[in-house]
Amino acid sequence: MKAYLIEKPNKGMLTDVSVPAPADDEILVEVKAAGICGTDVHIFKGEYYGGYPRIPGHEFSGVVAAVGKNVTKFKVGQHIAADPNIFCEKCDQCKANIQNFCEDMHAVGVTRHGAFAQYLTVPERCVFDITGMNFTEAALVEPLACVVYGQEKAGVPLGASVLIMGAGPIGLMHLQLAKMNGVAEVVVVDIFEHKLVLATKLGADKVYLADEFEKSDQRNKYELVIDCTGVPKVVESSIKYVKDSGTMLFFGVCPDNSTIIINPYEIFKRELRLIGSFALKKTYGKALKLAKSGKINLTALVDKKLTLDDLPEYFNNLSSVNHGFKTVVYPNGII
Ligand SMILES: [Zn+2]
Ligand SMILES: [Zn+2]
C-alpha cells in the first residue's frame, strides 16, 4: 500500500509498505479521510516524540477492511472513525480517571502508524460507528473531541461573553460549541480578514482584526477567553480581557520552551482561573454525536483536499504563518 512515511525529522517520503495485519483485538481500516493537524507538523519537525520512522495522521475515518478474531462489534464494510488515543486503563493515572496522562499511552499516528496511508490498524475499543456521516466530517470528530474536552474543563457559564483568539479550524469549532453552551455572545479575533468572514458565517456575534481589537480596549469583559493561536505573545496579552473571577483556557499549543509574563497579583486580586486542556479524555463519543446531529458545521472548515502523492511537497513547504483552514488527505482518492 501507499503511505507517507517520516523516516526521521524533516525527512518524509511517499513509500510502498505492506498492508498491516490486524491483531486479534484490532480492526484493519481502509482510510477514506484524514485531517492534517499541528501535531503532524510537530512530528515532521522532530518536535514531538513518538519514535521514527512514523506514518503520521490521527484524525481519520474509513471502512472496516478486516477484523481480528476477537473483534465482536464491527464487521467488514462498516463505516467507522476512531479515537486515536489508546489508554492502558491499568496504570495509576488511568485508575484515577486522568487517562490523558496514562503512563503507557499509545496513539495512532504518534506512537504507532497512522492514517496517511491507505490502511491502518486500530484496537476495536477505540472505534466508533459513523453510519450516516460523510468521511470528511467524521475525520474532524477527533479535533472536535479535544474542543469538547477543553470547554468541559474550562466550564462555559450560561449568559457569558466568550472571547476566542484565533479563527482557524479549532477556533471555529470552539465558536460553534460555545454558542450551543448557552453563552450571550462570542467574539472572535484573528489577523486574517477571510478567517473572520467564515467566523461570522458560523455564528460569531462580533469579529475583530487583532490590531483593531487591541485598540478597542475590552479588558475585564469576558467570562471565558480561549486561546486558539498557540502564540505566547497573544496568550500573554489576552489575560487582561478575562473578567474578574473568569477563566482563561490555554488551548492552542505554544512551543514547549516558551515563556510569558503573568502578574501574580492580578491573578490573586481578580480571582482568575488559568486552565489547560491536553488532548481529550473520553469525549470522542460526545463529539461524534454532536457532529452527527448536524449542529456543528465541520465541512465548512475544510479548504484543501490532498492525496498521499501531495504530502511530500506539503510537508516540505510548511509556512510559519497559517493562512488556511483545514487540510484533509484522502489516501484512497479524493471524495
Ligand atoms: Zn490533531
Ligand atoms: Zn494508563
Side-chain angles (χ1 to χ4, degrees), residues 129-151:
D129 178 84
I130 60 159
T131 302
M133 289 176 78
N134 73 52
F135 291 114
T136 302
E137 266 183 315
L140 299 191
V141 168
E142 194 273 345
L144 180 62
C146 298
V147 167
V148 169
Y149 178 63
Q151 290 199 13

Side-chain angles (χ1 to χ4, degrees), residues 37 93 120 206 270:
C37 142
Q93 305 280 63
L120 63 75
K206 274 186 216 133
R270 305 211 296 115

Side-chain angles (χ1 to χ4, degrees), residues 77-241:
Q78 197 167 345
H79 293 195
I80 57 94
D83 180 344
N85 302 291
I86 306 165
F87 307 129
C88 80
E89 301 291 358
K90 287 177 190 143
C91 71
D92 287 347
Q93 305 280 63
C94 283
K95 284 196 260 186
N97 205 29
I98 47 174
Q99 288 90 341
N100 49 339
F101 303 102
C102 173
E103 288 159 14
D104 187 23
M105 172 87 148
H106 292 268
V108 175
V110 181
T111 64
R112 56 188 273 161
H113 288 329
F116 299 158
Q118 289 182 289
Y119 294 87
L120 63 75
T121 56
V122 63
E124 178 185 22
R125 63 192 168 93
C126 299
V127 176
F128 292 78
D129 178 84
I130 60 159
T131 302
M133 289 176 78
N134 73 52
F135 291 114
T136 302
E137 266 183 315
L140 299 191
V141 168
E142 194 273 345
L144 180 62
C146 298
V147 167
V148 169
Y149 178 63
Q151 290 199 13
E152 281 191 349
K153 272 224 92 168
V156 184
L158 287 174
S161 291
V162 176
L163 173 64
I164 294 172
M165 302 302 284
I170 291 291
L172 297 178
M173 287 183 196
H174 269 296
L175 156 67
Q176 296 181 76
L177 190 65
K179 298 285 285 191
M180 295 175 73
N181 273 327
V183 303
E185 61 165 353
V186 183
V187 173
V188 178
V189 176
D190 201 280
I191 53 172
F192 293 112
E193 189 82 54
H194 71 281
K195 292 195 177 184
L196 298 177
V197 169
L198 185 56
T200 302
K201 266 191 207 152
L202 293 175
D205 297 287
K206 274 186 216 133
V207 296
Y208 291 88
L209 285 167
D211 47 351
E212 284 171 10
F213 186 70
E214 188 71 41
K215 281 184 222 141
S216 70
D217 192 21
Q218 302 193 26
R219 62 185 64 219
N220 200 356
K221 192 178 159 202
Y222 296 91
E223 282 87 353
L224 175 61
V225 175
I226 304 174
D227 177 69
C228 301
T229 69
V231 177
K233 277 279 159 229
V234 174
V235 176
E236 188 176 86
S237 65
S238 298
I239 294 172
K240 62 177 178 285
Y241 301 123

